[in-house]
Amino acid sequence: MMTLTRQDTDTGLLLYLRENIMQEINSKHSEKRDLILLRNSLANYFTPKLIEKSSLTLGSGWQTLDLPEPINHHSACSKCMYNVLCCMYLNKDTNIQLSNSHPLIKLGKQILNKFKPSHIDYISHWVSLLQIEESAQSSENIIRYMWTLSPEKREAKKICICNLKIIGKVIEYNSKYKHTFIRANVKEQFSNTNIPYMIFSENEYVLISTNTRINISTGFIAQRKEDSITILLDRDITKYNINEFFHIDKYSSSSLFSFNFANIGGLMGDNEICEKLRNIVIDRSANLLTILINLC
């Protein structure tokens, strides 16, 4: 990086993640080559992979994430906060064959014996579903259409609800602003035309735009009706005196998928609360209200 700023240097800083130690090393051709190889390997796992819907079955062949081979370090793995998920994927991934002396073989049996097989299958199944959704949205590249297609064409692709006006008073609710949109005609008058809301779902994260401005606000869909849609936005957009049509666009965010993945993975926590949550969500074996009261 310093070379790019025309500063000659023959050394660099190397951080050892396991020991959390940084030291200066000589930057020769072999070191640069190895860093490039590691970078390319890491980029390969971060690159989104297309997943066929047909690959997801109700049997044992559920699609798992494409992960590198695990490290070989018993003390590090036994103390790792992600060892449950790691062992779960290792148990599902048929592409990785570890030797019997690998520490994760014994550790995996000890960890997974604490969980019901149905719970492990449930988590794997939902991770696969999230992968399919993420793959579909990343391949569609929705964001570029906001800059290249008209609102009407975006609506034809079922990623937008166009030509809307705000009715009623904007209400502040939990630091958000509740806006109700209804379809308007070309004369900017309210219309009885139904909104194709079925392409959107409640609690979905969306962007609000106009004909001249992209993304003037963002928020979550609070309610859907045949002739209106209510959204909780981060600001009151009526204060800007915008005399234009509003358009609601879908938004694909990697942070939202990370949030969903974290919630699913969090169910595999090795503690009493997570066990009760698994019984609620997966087994549905007890009264929800009773368990929630006990958790509190």
Side-chain angles (χ1 to χ4, degrees), residues 4 20 101 108 125 155 192 243 247 268 288:
L4 296 177
N20 195 25
S101 60
H125 180 68
E155 183 171 298
N192 293 326
N243 190 25
H247 316 297
M268 294 299 290
L288 176 60

Side-chain angles (χ1 to χ4, degrees), residues 84-102:
V84 175
L85 294 174
C86 182
C87 292
M88 183 188 75
Y89 273 99
L90 184 62
N91 185 55
K92 289 284 186 180
D93 195 345
T94 58
N95 295 324
I96 297 181
Q97 301 294 332
L98 301 180
S99 63
N100 293 330
S101 60
H102 197 285

Side-chain angles (χ1 to χ4, degrees), residues 14 29 61 79 106 216 222:
L14 179 62
H29 173 74
K79 299 176 183 178
K106 181 179 180 180
I216 62 173

Side-chain angles (χ1 to χ4, degrees), residues 41-54:
S41 177
L42 183 64
N44 174 64
Y45 291 105
F46 276 107
T47 302
K49 308 291 192 306
L50 291 178
I51 301 174
E52 297 292 338
K53 295 181 181 179
S54 58

Side-chain angles (χ1 to χ4, degrees), residues 10 16 31 63 85 174 180 189 206 241 249 293:
D10 57 356
Y16 292 90
E31 283 78 11
Q63 182 75 37
L85 294 174
N174 289 340
T180 300
Q189 296 177 346
V206 294
N241 297 321
D249 284 272
I293 292 175

Side-chain angles (χ1 to χ4, degrees), residues 67 70 76-90 104 107-108 111-112 115 258 261-263 265-266 268-270:
L67 300 176
C77 291
S78 60
K79 299 176 183 178
C80 178
M81 65 178 66
Y82 301 108
N83 55 16
V84 175
L85 294 174
C86 182
C87 292
M88 183 188 75
Y89 273 99
L90 184 62
L104 279 180
L107 185 63
I111 292 176
L112 297 182
F115 300 91
S258 299
F261 278 123
N263 285 337
M268 294 299 290
D270 185 14

